[in-house]
Structures are given as structure tokens and as C-alpha cells.
Amino acid sequence: MPSACDSPIDDIEDMVSSGDPTPHERQYSRKTVVPRARKRNTQQTTEVLQADSVIPGMQKIWMRTWGCSHNNSDGEYMAGQLAASGYIMTGRNQSADLWLLNSCTVKNPAEDHFRNSIKKAQEQDKKVVLAGCVPQAQPRMDYLKGLSIIGVQQIDRVVEVVDEAVKGHSVRLLGQKKDNGKRLGGARLDLPKIRKNPLIEIISINTGCLNACTYCKTKHARGDLASYPVEELVERARQSFNEGVCEIWLTSEDTGAYGKDIGTDLPTLLWKLVEVIPEGAMLRLGMTNPPYILEHLEEMARILNHPRVYGFLHIPVQSGSDSVLMDMKREYCAEDFRHVVQFLKDRVPGITIATDIICGFPGETDADFQETCDLVREYRFPSLFINQFYPRPGTPAAKMDQVPAQVKKQRTKELSALFHSYNPYDHKIGETQRVLVTEESFDTQYFVAHNKYYEQVLVPKRSEFKGKMVEVEIYEAGKHFLKGRPLKDSQVFSPSLSKPLLKGEVSGLTQVTLQESSRCISSALMPVCLSSGICPFQGSAASQLRPPWLGRAQEMDGSVE
């Protein structure tokens, strides 16, 4: 029995009979039709629009970042993506619609500031998005309940999270990025960013580390070592120099461990980077723990002597006592640290070694502390970061027998006094040095430059010096700085052929990106994009289609903090 859908017609043309009007007759008949006038509706009607009154991408965002240079790099990437999506990054928290708080979990005071900022935002009825190591490591903390969170490996999705947060929704993205089951270093390195200093590019070469220090909370957030490929890092450096950057900082939780997870090492990366550094531009290495620098001492000495690499290395010792180092699970002894320092001082004359000390680690005795003081007296470190121990929740050290608070404070005070008892730069007076000028001093009276050994040199505040190499004579030395007088006959050397980006300008946006965005906005497809969430040119969410306004992406009243 045939179904209701069955039809004897084999072709659509069979539906036209000989008696039907021809196309010509239909066209002619239209000319004889007279439209009928409509009666006007004299009654006033009010149209009620059923629409969401919040349109993401038009709000002002204030961002605050605490912690290390890795965290600062993450903050720059998040600011760049938000600005490229149309949001306005402002330096005034009062005028902002949303606060993006990028946290640090290393010490209790940093988390306290973070918690207080959340409370202040809520009191002012601001929308809040949280980022950084604190929410990544402890997302279930009571004071984080109901708030949107962007994980440390999910910063490339910050626009999605902020879009939902401004509409009053709570979103949490805390997953790990993987490729075929292997953990990746994090978000792509070619994302848009707003550099805090347009002359300095901060590049995270890896995330996480191989150690399991008993006091460290950062490991809970950043996890095990995951390195970026050499090629991606070199390309990021090359792009930065093309945008007028004259100084690159390499950063991570442990730069010395770079590459162990992907079959390469730090010296291999550094030699590749040196090839793309323009003359007069400089590369600064980040923190490396003693166990990994021990493996590459000869190569590292050669690299640190290179004219385009600062003769500077941050090697945290944490304690001069082997007993304390064992309790910390630092995987080296004090003699290992001495060997590294002495080797580099012998082969890189003038090198600056910076180090960290923790005062009052659980179980530290007076004798242990004196061993630390002896180490400081021996090397008279010009840069010394002194930290009072804080037990971080969830770490093994938090469960150990604690040193009394007053003893920790006293030891911190005593070590600080020792550090301030010597002046490491007095012998530099009268020297002639080439320095790279990159920023303004805190008191705004000078420009800040650095010499080959990354020692801070204050120079006169002349606009032609910014981002340039200048030859100076050292005429004054302080505890943390030198002062330089430009030589009369010296030439100002520019390390970059490109003009640096303006303060607040978005890095990493290509002309193709701008053309695609402009093409989409002017196209009849734009309503389709907004309703469907799909872009025919980029295949991204509609929130990503907002024009990436290249130029002053921030308000003139402030900068990203």
C-alpha cells in the first residue's frame, strides 16, 4: 500500500501543466497590480524587548598581579586577550566593572592581600574573576565559593570566563593542557599581550618543576615540569624584537630544569636564542636551582660571558645548613651551592649571583642559622632575598615542629642587618660602563639602566635614552644601585630597528587578524556570527570576534598592574 508521501510525479517539471501561466505572463501580470493602501494604526504601542542587557566586551577591567615574573607574564597575556576582544583595561579600580585578581601562593602575606582584595571588590559590588596559583591549588577555599576562576594553564580562555562573569555567571576552568596524554607547558606563546613595560618581554620557558620541596605550595598549582619547544620560544623572542623590545627575561619555576621532559636542555635553548638577539639588546636568565645548573656549568659560563646575555644568575640556596636543606628536600648540599658559585665567579668575572634565604624553617637551630650567616659573609651577595618562613596549608613543612614566631623574626632581622653591613658596589666608582636603559625609577627622578652584570644604574632622565645603550661613567654607589654620568663623546646606540609599542598597546596582533575582524564586522554575516557563536573566517566563539583595536587598548588613566 503506498504511503501518504508517495507521489506519481517523477520530476519537479512534471508539476507544470499546459494550462498554467508562462513565466512571461506572470511577470506581465505584476505590472497591473495596484497595491491597496493600509490603514494606519492610531493606537500607540510600546514594544517590549526581551534581551540580555549586559553585552560582554564593553566593560572596564582592572587587573592586579602578585608574585613572580611567570605570574606577571600570565597577567600580560590575559590583559592582551581582553583588550583585543574590546574590553578596556584600566588602572583605576574604582571605575572598573570587573576586577581580575592574579594571585601568588608562595607566602601567607601575598594570599592575605589577595583575599582582602576579593572582599573589597565584593563590598564595592564589582564582578570578580580570580587567576593565579591560589585558586588553582585550593579552588574549594571558602572565600572562593561562587567566584569565577581561570586556571594557570587556561589563560588563553580568559575572555570566555570574563564574558560569563560580567553576565553574572560563575565559571571555573582549571584543567591541564595535554597533547596525546602528555602535559603541555601551558597556553600558546603567540597570544596577544599587553607588556607592563613595552621594552621588556617576559617569556615563560616552562611551567612546574621536578623538585618536591617540603615548604612549596606553588608545586600544587603549577605541577610537574612541562617545557615549551625550542622553536616556539625562539619565534616568540623574534616577534618581540620586531615589536621594539630590547630586553628579554626568561622565567619559570626552575629555568635550569628546562627541557628535561622533551629531550633537550637549557644551554641548547640559550644558544638558539642568542642567534636572534639584536646587537645591543640583552637576555636575562631567571631562577635556577643548584641541582640542574651543576650539570651545565661549563656551557653556562660560556653563555653568561656572551655580550648579549647578562652576567647574572639567580640561584636560591635557602639555607647554609645541610640539615635544613635535607628537611627541605632541596636535593643538594651547601657545598654543591658553593661549587656552583665559585665556578661561575672564576669563569665569569664580575658575575652577579642573587640568592634566597628562608629564616626559621621548622627544626632550624641557632647553629643552622649561623651556617647560613657564614655563607652570606663569605660571598657578600649583592642581591639577597630574605624570607621569613610561613607554613603553607597542605605542605609537609606545615606539619613539622615550628620555630617560635619571635625567633623567626629575630633571625630575619639579624640576617637583614648582616646584608646591609656591606656595600657591594663601592669599588665600581670611576668605571666606564655600557648600560641598557629600560624603565623609570620609583621616584621618577631617573631612568633605570642595567650594565652587563645586571647591576642597577641610574642615569639622567633624557627621552633619547629610553630603550637605548648608553656609555656612562659611574660616579656614585649605593647599597642597591650605581649612578652613571653619560660620557660627552659617547653615542646612543639603539638595539632595535622597530619602534616600541606604546604603553598599553596590544602585542601579537597581525595585520591578517585585523583584516579578518574588519571584514567580519562590515559583513552581512555579523548577525549570523553573533547568533550562532561561529565565525566563518576564524571558527571561534562570537565573543572572540570583537574588533582587536590595535593602539591604545587601555585607558589613559593607568596601566595594567
Side-chain angles (χ1 to χ4, degrees), residues 301-335:
R302 289 179 57 213
I303 290 166
L304 292 169
N305 274 311
H306 194 283
R308 295 194 288 275
V309 178
Y310 284 119
F312 166 88
L313 203 56
H314 180 191
I315 314 171
V317 65
Q318 305 300 6
S319 175
S321 164
D322 287 346
S323 176
V324 173
L325 290 173
M326 184 177 294
D327 288 342
M328 291 178 171
K329 287 193 175 180
R330 289 291 288 169
E331 300 183 0
Y332 59 89
C333 62
E335 192 55 38

PDB file of all heavy atoms in Angstrom, residues 301-335:
ATOM      1  N   ALA A 301      78.731  28.986  31.819  1.00  0.00           N
ATOM      2  CA  ALA A 301      79.760  30.018  31.938  1.00  0.00           C
ATOM      3  C   ALA A 301      80.022  30.677  30.586  1.00  0.00           C
ATOM      4  O   ALA A 301      80.155  31.907  30.480  1.00  0.00           O
ATOM      5  CB  ALA A 301      81.036  29.423  32.504  1.00  0.00           C
ATOM      6  N   ARG A 302      80.079  29.882  29.535  1.00  0.00           N
ATOM      7  CA  ARG A 302      80.290  30.420  28.193  1.00  0.00           C
ATOM      8  C   ARG A 302      79.133  31.334  27.782  1.00  0.00           C
ATOM      9  O   ARG A 302      79.337  32.413  27.215  1.00  0.00           O
ATOM     10  CB  ARG A 302      80.430  29.284  27.188  1.00  0.00           C
ATOM     11  CG  ARG A 302      81.726  28.487  27.299  1.00  0.00           C
ATOM     12  CD  ARG A 302      81.753  27.366  26.268  1.00  0.00           C
ATOM     13  NE  ARG A 302      81.591  27.900  24.918  1.00  0.00           N
ATOM     14  CZ  ARG A 302      80.975  27.263  23.926  1.00  0.00           C
ATOM     15  NH1 ARG A 302      80.407  26.066  24.144  1.00  0.00           N
ATOM     16  NH2 ARG A 302      80.888  27.798  22.734  1.00  0.00           N
ATOM     17  N   ILE A 303      77.925  30.892  28.068  1.00  0.00           N
ATOM     18  CA  ILE A 303      76.742  31.682  27.687  1.00  0.00           C
ATOM     19  C   ILE A 303      76.693  32.990  28.467  1.00  0.00           C
ATOM     20  O   ILE A 303      76.405  34.056  27.901  1.00  0.00           O
ATOM     21  CB  ILE A 303      75.458  30.858  27.920  1.00  0.00           C
ATOM     22  CG1 ILE A 303      75.377  29.707  26.909  1.00  0.00           C
ATOM     23  CG2 ILE A 303      74.218  31.741  27.822  1.00  0.00           C
ATOM     24  CD1 ILE A 303      74.356  28.660  27.246  1.00  0.00           C
ATOM     25  N   LEU A 304      76.981  32.947  29.755  1.00  0.00           N
ATOM     26  CA  LEU A 304      76.912  34.151  30.587  1.00  0.00           C
ATOM     27  C   LEU A 304      77.998  35.159  30.222  1.00  0.00           C
ATOM     28  O   LEU A 304      77.896  36.338  30.576  1.00  0.00           O
ATOM     29  CB  LEU A 304      76.995  33.774  32.062  1.00  0.00           C
ATOM     30  CG  LEU A 304      75.789  33.000  32.605  1.00  0.00           C
ATOM     31  CD1 LEU A 304      76.073  32.441  33.996  1.00  0.00           C
ATOM     32  CD2 LEU A 304      74.544  33.889  32.641  1.00  0.00           C
ATOM     33  N   ASN A 305      79.035  34.716  29.538  1.00  0.00           N
ATOM     34  CA  ASN A 305      80.072  35.630  29.051  1.00  0.00           C
ATOM     35  C   ASN A 305      79.706  36.267  27.716  1.00  0.00           C
ATOM     36  O   ASN A 305      80.393  37.180  27.252  1.00  0.00           O
ATOM     37  CB  ASN A 305      81.408  34.884  28.895  1.00  0.00           C
ATOM     38  CG  ASN A 305      82.194  34.844  30.199  1.00  0.00           C
ATOM     39  OD1 ASN A 305      82.373  35.867  30.862  1.00  0.00           O
ATOM     40  ND2 ASN A 305      82.653  33.660  30.579  1.00  0.00           N
ATOM     41  N   HIS A 306      78.639  35.797  27.083  1.00  0.00           N
ATOM     42  CA  HIS A 306      78.240  36.329  25.788  1.00  0.00           C
ATOM     43  C   HIS A 306      77.836  37.799  25.943  1.00  0.00           C
ATOM     44  O   HIS A 306      77.152  38.168  26.901  1.00  0.00           O
ATOM     45  CB  HIS A 306      77.066  35.517  25.223  1.00  0.00           C
ATOM     46  CG  HIS A 306      76.807  35.753  23.782  1.00  0.00           C
ATOM     47  ND1 HIS A 306      76.165  36.880  23.306  1.00  0.00           N
ATOM     48  CD2 HIS A 306      77.114  35.022  22.674  1.00  0.00           C
ATOM     49  CE1 HIS A 306      76.077  36.831  21.999  1.00  0.00           C
ATOM     50  NE2 HIS A 306      76.640  35.709  21.579  1.00  0.00           N
ATOM     51  N   PRO A 307      78.226  38.666  25.009  1.00  0.00           N
ATOM     52  CA  PRO A 307      77.940  40.100  25.151  1.00  0.00           C
ATOM     53  C   PRO A 307      76.456  40.453  25.149  1.00  0.00           C
ATOM     54  O   PRO A 307      76.082  41.543  25.610  1.00  0.00           O
ATOM     55  CB  PRO A 307      78.651  40.724  23.939  1.00  0.00           C
ATOM     56  CG  PRO A 307      78.857  39.601  22.974  1.00  0.00           C
ATOM     57  CD  PRO A 307      79.033  38.373  23.809  1.00  0.00           C
ATOM     58  N   ARG A 308      75.600  39.565  24.651  1.00  0.00           N
ATOM     59  CA  ARG A 308      74.163  39.863  24.629  1.00  0.00           C
ATOM     60  C   ARG A 308      73.391  39.110  25.705  1.00  0.00           C
ATOM     61  O   ARG A 308      72.162  39.054  25.665  1.00  0.00           O
ATOM     62  CB  ARG A 308      73.591  39.560  23.236  1.00  0.00           C
ATOM     63  CG  ARG A 308      74.166  40.471  22.156  1.00  0.00           C
ATOM     64  CD  ARG A 308      73.389  40.412  20.864  1.00  0.00           C
ATOM     65  NE  ARG A 308      73.576  39.158  20.145  1.00  0.00           N
ATOM     66  CZ  ARG A 308      74.578  38.907  19.323  1.00  0.00           C
ATOM     67  NH1 ARG A 308      75.538  39.811  19.141  1.00  0.00           N
ATOM     68  NH2 ARG A 308      74.668  37.760  18.684  1.00  0.00           N
ATOM     69  N   VAL A 309      74.115  38.563  26.679  1.00  0.00           N
ATOM     70  CA  VAL A 309      73.493  37.877  27.823  1.00  0.00           C
ATOM     71  C   VAL A 309      74.024  38.517  29.100  1.00  0.00           C
ATOM     72  O   VAL A 309      75.236  38.677  29.263  1.00  0.00           O
ATOM     73  CB  VAL A 309      73.811  36.366  27.814  1.00  0.00           C
ATOM     74  CG1 VAL A 309      73.184  35.682  29.037  1.00  0.00           C
ATOM     75  CG2 VAL A 309      73.322  35.711  26.530  1.00  0.00           C
ATOM     76  N   TYR A 310      73.115  38.889  30.001  1.00  0.00           N
ATOM     77  CA  TYR A 310      73.551  39.474  31.274  1.00  0.00           C
ATOM     78  C   TYR A 310      74.368  38.452  32.072  1.00  0.00           C
ATOM     79  O   TYR A 310      73.976  37.277  32.169  1.00  0.00           O
ATOM     80  CB  TYR A 310      72.351  39.908  32.117  1.00  0.00           C
ATOM     81  CG  TYR A 310      71.694  41.189  31.667  1.00  0.00           C
ATOM     82  CD1 TYR A 310      70.368  41.203  31.260  1.00  0.00           C
ATOM     83  CD2 TYR A 310      72.389  42.394  31.662  1.00  0.00           C
ATOM     84  CE1 TYR A 310      69.747  42.382  30.854  1.00  0.00           C
ATOM     85  CE2 TYR A 310      71.782  43.576  31.269  1.00  0.00           C
ATOM     86  CZ  TYR A 310      70.465  43.566  30.867  1.00  0.00           C
ATOM     87  OH  TYR A 310      69.856  44.733  30.471  1.00  0.00           O
ATOM     88  N   GLY A 311      75.465  38.911  32.648  1.00  0.00           N
ATOM     89  CA  GLY A 311      76.267  38.066  33.540  1.00  0.00           C
ATOM     90  C   GLY A 311      75.625  38.038  34.915  1.00  0.00           C
ATOM     91  O   GLY A 311      76.163  38.571  35.883  1.00  0.00           O
ATOM     92  N   PHE A 312      74.466  37.421  34.959  1.00  0.00           N
ATOM     93  CA  PHE A 312      73.624  37.424  36.168  1.00  0.00           C
ATOM     94  C   PHE A 312      72.921  36.083  36.274  1.00  0.00           C
ATOM     95  O   PHE A 312      72.448  35.533  35.274  1.00  0.00           O
ATOM     96  CB  PHE A 312      72.581  38.542  36.058  1.00  0.00           C
ATOM     97  CG  PHE A 312      71.455  38.448  37.060  1.00  0.00           C
ATOM     98  CD1 PHE A 312      71.576  39.029  38.313  1.00  0.00           C
ATOM     99  CD2 PHE A 312      70.277  37.775  36.751  1.00  0.00           C
ATOM    100  CE1 PHE A 312      70.537  38.938  39.232  1.00  0.00           C
ATOM    101  CE2 PHE A 312      69.243  37.683  37.656  1.00  0.00           C
ATOM    102  CZ  PHE A 312      69.377  38.270  38.906  1.00  0.00           C
ATOM    103  N   LEU A 313      72.849  35.542  37.487  1.00  0.00           N
ATOM    104  CA  LEU A 313      72.109  34.302  37.703  1.00  0.00           C
ATOM    105  C   LEU A 313      71.526  34.282  39.113  1.00  0.00           C
ATOM    106  O   LEU A 313      72.211  34.611  40.086  1.00  0.00           O
ATOM    107  CB  LEU A 313      73.030  33.095  37.505  1.00  0.00           C
ATOM    108  CG  LEU A 313      72.336  31.764  37.151  1.00  0.00           C
ATOM    109  CD1 LEU A 313      71.479  31.902  35.896  1.00  0.00           C
ATOM    110  CD2 LEU A 313      73.366  30.661  36.953  1.00  0.00           C
ATOM    111  N   HIS A 314      70.263  33.909  39.174  1.00  0.00           N
ATOM    112  CA  HIS A 314      69.556  33.799  40.451  1.00  0.00           C
ATOM    113  C   HIS A 314      69.551  32.327  40.854  1.00  0.00           C
ATOM    114  O   HIS A 314      68.870  31.507  40.229  1.00  0.00           O
ATOM    115  CB  HIS A 314      68.129  34.334  40.288  1.00  0.00           C
ATOM    116  CG  HIS A 314      67.308  34.263  41.537  1.00  0.00           C
ATOM    117  ND1 HIS A 314      65.952  34.477  41.542  1.00  0.00           N
ATOM    118  CD2 HIS A 314      67.647  33.990  42.827  1.00  0.00           C
ATOM    119  CE1 HIS A 314      65.483  34.347  42.764  1.00  0.00           C
ATOM    120  NE2 HIS A 314      66.496  34.043  43.561  1.00  0.00           N
ATOM    121  N   ILE A 315      70.322  31.999  41.897  1.00  0.00           N
ATOM    122  CA  ILE A 315      70.439  30.614  42.365  1.00  0.00           C
ATOM    123  C   ILE A 315      70.038  30.575  43.843  1.00  0.00           C
ATOM    124  O   ILE A 315      70.834  30.919  44.722  1.00  0.00           O
ATOM    125  CB  ILE A 315      71.883  30.085  42.221  1.00  0.00           C
ATOM    126  CG1 ILE A 315      72.455  30.441  40.849  1.00  0.00           C
ATOM    127  CG2 ILE A 315      71.934  28.587  42.454  1.00  0.00           C
ATOM    128  CD1 ILE A 315      73.933  30.148  40.714  1.00  0.00           C
ATOM    129  N   PRO A 316      68.824  30.180  44.173  1.00  0.00           N
ATOM    130  CA  PRO A 316      68.380  30.193  45.576  1.00  0.00           C
ATOM    131  C   PRO A 316      69.028  29.071  46.388  1.00  0.00           C
ATOM    132  O   PRO A 316      68.952  27.904  46.014  1.00  0.00           O
ATOM    133  CB  PRO A 316      66.864  29.991  45.471  1.00  0.00           C
ATOM    134  CG  PRO A 316      66.658  29.317  44.165  1.00  0.00           C
ATOM    135  CD  PRO A 316      67.750  29.768  43.251  1.00  0.00           C
ATOM    136  N   VAL A 317      69.675  29.432  47.492  1.00  0.00           N
ATOM    137  CA  VAL A 317      70.290  28.424  48.364  1.00  0.00           C
ATOM    138  C   VAL A 317      69.335  28.032  49.490  1.00  0.00           C
ATOM    139  O   VAL A 317      69.325  26.895  49.941  1.00  0.00           O
ATOM    140  CB  VAL A 317      71.639  28.922  48.922  1.00  0.00           C
ATOM    141  CG1 VAL A 317      71.457  30.132  49.832  1.00  0.00           C
ATOM    142  CG2 VAL A 317      72.365  27.801  49.653  1.00  0.00           C
ATOM    143  N   GLN A 318      68.551  28.975  50.007  1.00  0.00           N
ATOM    144  CA  GLN A 318      67.536  28.823  51.052  1.00  0.00           C
ATOM    145  C   GLN A 318      68.125  28.617  52.445  1.00  0.00           C
ATOM    146  O   GLN A 318      67.586  29.115  53.422  1.00  0.00           O
ATOM    147  CB  GLN A 318      66.546  27.691  50.722  1.00  0.00           C
ATOM    148  CG  GLN A 318      65.852  27.812  49.383  1.00  0.00           C
ATOM    149  CD  GLN A 318      65.027  29.073  49.204  1.00  0.00           C
ATOM    150  OE1 GLN A 318      65.024  29.970  50.053  1.00  0.00           O
ATOM    151  NE2 GLN A 318      64.358  29.183  48.070  1.00  0.00           N
ATOM    152  N   SER A 319      69.229  27.899  52.570  1.00  0.00           N
ATOM    153  CA  SER A 319      69.867  27.711  53.878  1.00  0.00           C
ATOM    154  C   SER A 319      71.317  27.291  53.670  1.00  0.00           C
ATOM    155  O   SER A 319      71.646  26.637  52.670  1.00  0.00           O
ATOM    156  CB  SER A 319      69.129  26.645  54.700  1.00  0.00           C
ATOM    157  OG  SER A 319      69.819  26.391  55.919  1.00  0.00           O
ATOM    158  N   GLY A 320      72.189  27.661  54.631  1.00  0.00           N
ATOM    159  CA  GLY A 320      73.584  27.222  54.590  1.00  0.00           C
ATOM    160  C   GLY A 320      73.817  25.950  55.372  1.00  0.00           C
ATOM    161  O   GLY A 320      74.955  25.473  55.473  1.00  0.00           O
ATOM    162  N   SER A 321      72.738  25.383  55.914  1.00  0.00           N
ATOM    163  CA  SER A 321      72.831  24.176  56.743  1.00  0.00           C
ATOM    164  C   SER A 321      72.375  22.947  55.957  1.00  0.00           C
ATOM    165  O   SER A 321      71.254  22.921  55.434  1.00  0.00           O
ATOM    166  CB  SER A 321      71.972  24.335  57.999  1.00  0.00           C
ATOM    167  OG  SER A 321      71.743  23.091  58.624  1.00  0.00           O
ATOM    168  N   ASP A 322      73.214  21.918  55.911  1.00  0.00           N
ATOM    169  CA  ASP A 322      72.844  20.683  55.213  1.00  0.00           C
ATOM    170  C   ASP A 322      71.657  20.000  55.873  1.00  0.00           C
ATOM    171  O   ASP A 322      70.826  19.383  55.202  1.00  0.00           O
ATOM    172  CB  ASP A 322      74.031  19.715  55.183  1.00  0.00           C
ATOM    173  CG  ASP A 322      75.107  20.167  54.209  1.00  0.00           C
ATOM    174  OD1 ASP A 322      74.829  21.061  53.389  1.00  0.00           O
ATOM    175  OD2 ASP A 322      76.233  19.627  54.286  1.00  0.00           O
ATOM    176  N   SER A 323      71.566  20.112  57.190  1.00  0.00           N
ATOM    177  CA  SER A 323      70.455  19.503  57.908  1.00  0.00           C
ATOM    178  C   SER A 323      69.124  20.129  57.490  1.00  0.00           C
ATOM    179  O   SER A 323      68.136  19.423  57.230  1.00  0.00           O
ATOM    180  CB  SER A 323      70.660  19.657  59.426  1.00  0.00           C
ATOM    181  OG  SER A 323      69.542  19.158  60.135  1.00  0.00           O
ATOM    182  N   VAL A 324      69.110  21.450  57.410  1.00  0.00           N
ATOM    183  CA  VAL A 324      67.887  22.147  56.996  1.00  0.00           C
ATOM    184  C   VAL A 324      67.571  21.849  55.532  1.00  0.00           C
ATOM    185  O   VAL A 324      66.418  21.603  55.166  1.00  0.00           O
ATOM    186  CB  VAL A 324      68.017  23.664  57.231  1.00  0.00           C
ATOM    187  CG1 VAL A 324      66.821  24.411  56.647  1.00  0.00           C
ATOM    188  CG2 VAL A 324      68.139  23.957  58.723  1.00  0.00           C
ATOM    189  N   LEU A 325      68.598  21.846  54.689  1.00  0.00           N
ATOM    190  CA  LEU A 325      68.386  21.554  53.270  1.00  0.00           C
ATOM    191  C   LEU A 325      67.798  20.158  53.075  1.00  0.00           C
ATOM    192  O   LEU A 325      66.966  19.948  52.185  1.00  0.00           O
ATOM    193  CB  LEU A 325      69.704  21.674  52.502  1.00  0.00           C
ATOM    194  CG  LEU A 325      70.264  23.094  52.348  1.00  0.00           C
ATOM    195  CD1 LEU A 325      71.647  23.056  51.712  1.00  0.00           C
ATOM    196  CD2 LEU A 325      69.324  23.956  51.514  1.00  0.00           C
ATOM    197  N   MET A 326      68.216  19.218  53.918  1.00  0.00           N
ATOM    198  CA  MET A 326      67.666  17.865  53.830  1.00  0.00           C
ATOM    199  C   MET A 326      66.190  17.864  54.213  1.00  0.00           C
ATOM    200  O   MET A 326      65.364  17.227  53.547  1.00  0.00           O
ATOM    201  CB  MET A 326      68.452  16.924  54.738  1.00  0.00           C
ATOM    202  CG  MET A 326      68.011  15.466  54.631  1.00  0.00           C
ATOM    203  SD  MET A 326      69.024  14.372  55.646  1.00  0.00           S
ATOM    204  CE  MET A 326      70.605  14.519  54.806  1.00  0.00           C
ATOM    205  N   ASP A 327      65.845  18.597  55.272  1.00  0.00           N
ATOM    206  CA  ASP A 327      64.436  18.676  55.675  1.00  0.00           C
ATOM    207  C   ASP A 327      63.585  19.390  54.619  1.00  0.00           C
ATOM    208  O   ASP A 327      62.394  19.121  54.477  1.00  0.00           O
ATOM    209  CB  ASP A 327      64.315  19.405  57.022  1.00  0.00           C
ATOM    210  CG  ASP A 327      64.818  18.566  58.185  1.00  0.00           C
ATOM    211  OD1 ASP A 327      64.932  17.336  58.013  1.00  0.00           O
ATOM    212  OD2 ASP A 327      65.114  19.139  59.247  1.00  0.00           O
ATOM    213  N   MET A 328      64.208  20.288  53.899  1.00  0.00           N
ATOM    214  CA  MET A 328      63.504  20.993  52.820  1.00  0.00           C
ATOM    215  C   MET A 328      63.369  20.135  51.562  1.00  0.00           C
ATOM    216  O   MET A 328      62.613  20.484  50.656  1.00  0.00           O
ATOM    217  CB  MET A 328      64.264  22.279  52.443  1.00  0.00           C
ATOM    218  CG  MET A 328      64.251  23.374  53.475  1.00  0.00           C
ATOM    219  SD  MET A 328      65.253  24.792  52.855  1.00  0.00           S
ATOM    220  CE  MET A 328      64.873  26.024  54.094  1.00  0.00           C
ATOM    221  N   LYS A 329      64.148  19.042  51.489  1.00  0.00           N
ATOM    222  CA  LYS A 329      64.233  18.195  50.297  1.00  0.00           C
ATOM    223  C   LYS A 329      64.699  19.006  49.076  1.00  0.00           C
ATOM    224  O   LYS A 329      64.127  18.925  47.991  1.00  0.00           O
ATOM    225  CB  LYS A 329      62.880  17.517  49.996  1.00  0.00           C
ATOM    226  CG  LYS A 329      62.542  16.402  50.963  1.00  0.00           C
ATOM    227  CD  LYS A 329      61.379  15.562  50.448  1.00  0.00           C
ATOM    228  CE  LYS A 329      61.139  14.365  51.384  1.00  0.00           C
ATOM    229  NZ  LYS A 329      60.022  13.520  50.921  1.00  0.00           N
ATOM    230  N   ARG A 330      65.793  19.745  49.279  1.00  0.00           N
ATOM    231  CA  ARG A 330      66.317  20.594  48.218  1.00  0.00           C
ATOM    232  C   ARG A 330      67.236  19.836  47.250  1.00  0.00           C
ATOM    233  O   ARG A 330      67.634  20.375  46.227  1.00  0.00           O
ATOM    234  CB  ARG A 330      67.071  21.776  48.825  1.00  0.00           C
ATOM    235  CG  ARG A 330      66.169  22.795  49.493  1.00  0.00           C
ATOM    236  CD  ARG A 330      65.340  23.535  48.501  1.00  0.00           C
ATOM    237  NE  ARG A 330      66.123  24.479  47.705  1.00  0.00           N
ATOM    238  CZ  ARG A 330      65.683  25.097  46.627  1.00  0.00           C
ATOM    239  NH1 ARG A 330      64.458  24.845  46.171  1.00  0.00           N
ATOM    240  NH2 ARG A 330      66.451  25.939  45.966  1.00  0.00           N
ATOM    241  N   GLU A 331      67.637  18.625  47.562  1.00  0.00           N
ATOM    242  CA  GLU A 331      68.398  17.761  46.656  1.00  0.00           C
ATOM    243  C   GLU A 331      69.807  18.279  46.336  1.00  0.00           C
ATOM    244  O   GLU A 331      70.347  18.028  45.258  1.00  0.00           O
ATOM    245  CB  GLU A 331      67.616  17.517  45.360  1.00  0.00           C
ATOM    246  CG  GLU A 331      66.267  16.832  45.609  1.00  0.00           C
ATOM    247  CD  GLU A 331      65.520  16.534  44.309  1.00  0.00           C
ATOM    248  OE1 GLU A 331      66.053  16.854  43.240  1.00  0.00           O
ATOM    249  OE2 GLU A 331      64.408  15.983  44.390  1.00  0.00           O
ATOM    250  N   TYR A 332      70.389  19.036  47.258  1.00  0.00           N
ATOM    251  CA  TYR A 332      71.796  19.445  47.147  1.00  0.00           C
ATOM    252  C   TYR A 332      72.270  19.788  48.552  1.00  0.00           C
ATOM    253  O   TYR A 332      71.464  19.914  49.495  1.00  0.00           O
ATOM    254  CB  TYR A 332      71.973  20.650  46.210  1.00  0.00           C
ATOM    255  CG  TYR A 332      71.191  21.875  46.647  1.00  0.00           C
ATOM    256  CD1 TYR A 332      71.737  22.816  47.527  1.00  0.00           C
ATOM    257  CD2 TYR A 332      69.900  22.102  46.187  1.00  0.00           C
ATOM    258  CE1 TYR A 332      71.028  23.920  47.941  1.00  0.00           C
ATOM    259  CE2 TYR A 332      69.173  23.198  46.583  1.00  0.00           C
ATOM    260  CZ  TYR A 332      69.739  24.118  47.461  1.00  0.00           C
ATOM    261  OH  TYR A 332      69.018  25.210  47.874  1.00  0.00           O
ATOM    262  N   CYS A 333      73.558  19.932  48.706  1.00  0.00           N
ATOM    263  CA  CYS A 333      74.116  20.348  49.985  1.00  0.00           C
ATOM    264  C   CYS A 333      74.761  21.724  49.841  1.00  0.00           C
ATOM    265  O   CYS A 333      74.908  22.235  48.713  1.00  0.00           O
ATOM    266  CB  CYS A 333      75.134  19.333  50.505  1.00  0.00           C
ATOM    267  SG  CYS A 333      76.568  19.134  49.438  1.00  0.00           S
ATOM    268  N   ALA A 334      75.156  22.323  50.950  1.00  0.00           N
ATOM    269  CA  ALA A 334      75.734  23.668  50.903  1.00  0.00           C
ATOM    270  C   ALA A 334      77.006  23.703  50.060  1.00  0.00           C
ATOM    271  O   ALA A 334      77.283  24.698  49.377  1.00  0.00           O
ATOM    272  CB  ALA A 334      76.005  24.159  52.320  1.00  0.00           C
ATOM    273  N   GLU A 335      77.749  22.612  50.081  1.00  0.00           N
ATOM    274  CA  GLU A 335      78.991  22.563  49.310  1.00  0.00           C
ATOM    275  C   GLU A 335      78.701  22.567  47.804  1.00  0.00           C
ATOM    276  O   GLU A 335      79.470  23.132  47.016  1.00  0.00           O
ATOM    277  CB  GLU A 335      79.803  21.326  49.687  1.00  0.00           C
ATOM    278  CG  GLU A 335      81.224  21.336  49.152  1.00  0.00           C
ATOM    279  CD  GLU A 335      81.997  22.580  49.561  1.00  0.00           C
ATOM    280  OE1 GLU A 335      81.833  23.058  50.708  1.00  0.00           O
ATOM    281  OE2 GLU A 335      82.770  23.083  48.721  1.00  0.00           O
TER     282      GLU A 335
END
